């Protein structure tokens, strides 16, 4: 089991707090920071600022493959590597209808095909080769990085069976988000089955997990907001139902006002998919994820006035696992 940190990019907190979380991750001894992309920062701009002020390895994404094309992804990763001297990686995913169709006006049709075609093209470019992918959804031909090729590892975000197939064939690492240990175990098994069909070695699996040490009411509210959009989503709804929250899922599927749904989310639903409570609680949950076959936990710390940047939570996660076989 390995530990890393992912920025929460929480919408109820100042955007600049992302830099504070990065500094807290470095101070606590974490080796790697994941930088996603939501509604605030451009991932590569933020990564350049963090890379210039910390020694952390940086992984960008998961980036939506129907929003960013392979050449711009490779250019962005190579730019940060060249400007900061940091090790860089990239994660690719299909994102959501809200982000892809709503915010960017792009199509998510044939998303799994786009994921695979992007994976092939991005790997070519990051290795310094000339791109040669003429895909049915995504392509890049004849481009080669003018900056030094960063030779970055490629992570694939997966949840459904087709994405698992892509990860088995093309990923150096697979990442899953907002899952219980039981759901993580099922995804690990699905990856291994996909790798067996493809005749490949399954890559290691990372899981993004929210975390909060002895969370304040503000931190709990933040984390509750974070799960609202997943309760009725395909796959995630089944997971929450399996964890004992079937009534909550049924209510979410009636499409109540978001305030009503938020008010109905119990803290136990967050605890099912996150690291919540005392150091011992957190350590036990990390052990549960390890037993499920997860190789790495990317901790997404809750942030609040009581724990700016999530520094206390990040320190607790690192210290609280001393009795388990965890590498940080």
């Amino acid at each position: 089991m390995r530990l890393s940190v992912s920025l929460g990019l929480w919408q109820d907190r100042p955007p600049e707090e992302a830099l504070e979380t990065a500094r807290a991750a470095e101070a606590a001894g974490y080796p790697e920071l994941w930088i996603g992309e939501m509604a605030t920062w451009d991932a590569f701009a933020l990564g350049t600022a963090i890379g210039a002020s910390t020694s952390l390895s940086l992984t960008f994404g998961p980036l939506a493959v129907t929003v960013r094309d392979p050449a711009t992804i490779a250019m962005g990763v190579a730019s940060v590597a060249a400007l900061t001297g940091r090790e860089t990686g990239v994660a690719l995913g299909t994102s959501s209808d809200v982000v892809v169709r709503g915010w960017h006006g792009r199509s998510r049709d044939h998303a799994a095909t786009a994921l695979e075609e992007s994976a092939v093209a991005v790997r070519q470019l990051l290795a310094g080769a000339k791109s040669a992918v003429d895909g049915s959804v995504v392509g890049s031909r004849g481009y080669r990085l003018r900056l030094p090729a960063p030779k970055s590892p490629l992570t694939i975000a997966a949840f459904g069976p087709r994405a698992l197939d892509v990860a088995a064939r093309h990923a150096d690492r697979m990442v899953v988000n907002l899952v219980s240990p039981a759901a993580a175990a099922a995804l690990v098994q699905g990856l291994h089955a996909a790798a067996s069909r493809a005749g490949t070695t399954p890559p290691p699996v990372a899981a993004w997990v929210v975390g909060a040490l002895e969370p304040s009411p503000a931190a709990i509210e933040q984390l509750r907001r974070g799960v609202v959009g997943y309760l009725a989503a395909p796959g995630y709804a089944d997971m929450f139902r399996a964890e004992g929250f079937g009534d909550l899922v049924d209510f979410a599927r009636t499409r109540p006002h978001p305030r009503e749904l938020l008010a109905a989310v119990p803290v136990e639903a967050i605890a099912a998919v996150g690291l919540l409570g005392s150091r011992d609680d957190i350590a036990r949950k990390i052990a549960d994820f390890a037993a499920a076959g997860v190789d790495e936990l990317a901790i997404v710390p809750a942030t609040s006035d009581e724990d700016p940047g999530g520094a206390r939570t990040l320190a607790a996660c690192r210290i609280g696992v001393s009795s388990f076989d965890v590498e940080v």
Side-chain angles (χ1 to χ4, degrees):
M1 172 65 77
R2 181 177 183 268
L3 297 183
S4 56
V5 176
S6 176
L7 298 177
L9 303 175
W10 304 109
Q11 296 304 295
D12 61 333
R13 299 292 295 171
E16 296 79 9
E17 192 175 45
L19 296 164
E20 194 167 351
T21 299
R23 290 190 290 269
E26 181 180 42
Y30 291 84
E32 179 185 6
L33 182 75
W34 299 66
I35 302 174
E37 194 164 61
M38 282 297 293
T40 49
W41 300 103
D42 172 89
F44 299 123
L46 180 58
T48 301
I50 290 172
S53 59
T54 74
S55 60
L56 294 164
S57 167
L58 306 173
T59 291
F60 296 95
L63 301 173
V65 294
T66 50
V67 172
R68 285 188 182 268
D69 64 75
T72 59
I73 290 171
M75 214 180 299
V77 175
S79 296
V80 177
L83 290 168
T84 67
R86 301 287 159 245
E87 293 183 4
T88 55
V90 65
L92 304 179
T94 58
S95 194
S96 67
D97 279 346
V98 170
V99 172
V100 175
R101 297 186 197 276
W103 296 1
H104 294 281
R106 303 288 183 89
S107 172
R108 285 189 78 244
D109 294 346
H110 310 293
T113 300
L115 183 62
E116 181 159 29
E117 292 170 349
S118 292
V120 174
V122 168
R123 185 179 290 283
Q124 290 174 350
L125 291 167
L126 293 177
K130 185 179 289 187
S131 60
V133 174
D134 188 13
S136 61
V137 183
V138 172
S140 177
R141 294 188 61 85
Y143 176 66
R144 191 194 306 270
L145 286 172
R146 272 49 171 180
L147 294 169
K151 298 179 170 58
S152 305
L154 179 66
T155 301
I156 297 294
F159 193 77
R162 291 198 63 194
L164 289 171
D165 287 341
V166 175
R169 290 194 298 269
H170 299 288
D172 298 307
R173 175 175 56 179
M174 184 177 91
V175 65
V176 296
N177 178 42
L178 201 74
V179 292
S180 65
L187 289 166
V188 170
Q189 292 167 8
L191 174 66
H192 282 244
S196 178
R197 291 192 299 271
T200 60
T201 300
V205 176
W208 278 16
V209 291
V210 294
L213 172 67
E214 297 170 350
S216 66
I220 290 173
E221 187 75 0
Q222 182 183 79
L223 295 177
R224 288 169 67 237
R225 278 195 296 271
V227 305
V228 164
Y230 291 87
L231 293 171
Y236 290 99
D238 294 334
M239 177 191 69
F240 280 108
R241 190 181 298 280
E243 292 295 320
F245 303 101
D247 289 346
L248 180 63
V249 170
D250 291 340
F251 180 52
R253 286 181 164 170
T254 68
R255 299 190 176 184
H257 191 281
R259 283 196 300 271
E260 294 180 84
L261 183 55
L262 176 62
V265 177
V267 68
E268 290 81 8
I270 303 161
V273 296
L275 311 176
L276 225 61
S278 68
R279 284 185 173 85
D280 287 344
D281 294 331
I282 287 171
R284 281 191 291 268
K285 197 59 170 285
I286 289 176
D288 290 343
F289 277 106
V294 173
D295 303 289
E296 174 184 345
L297 288 183
I299 299 165
V300 188
T303 66
S304 63
D305 289 344
E306 293 77 16
D307 189 13
R312 287 179 60 248
T313 290
L314 292 178
C317 290
R318 192 175 191 280
I319 294 168
V321 298
S322 59
S323 59
F324 297 97
D325 183 19
V326 176
E327 172 199 347
V328 292

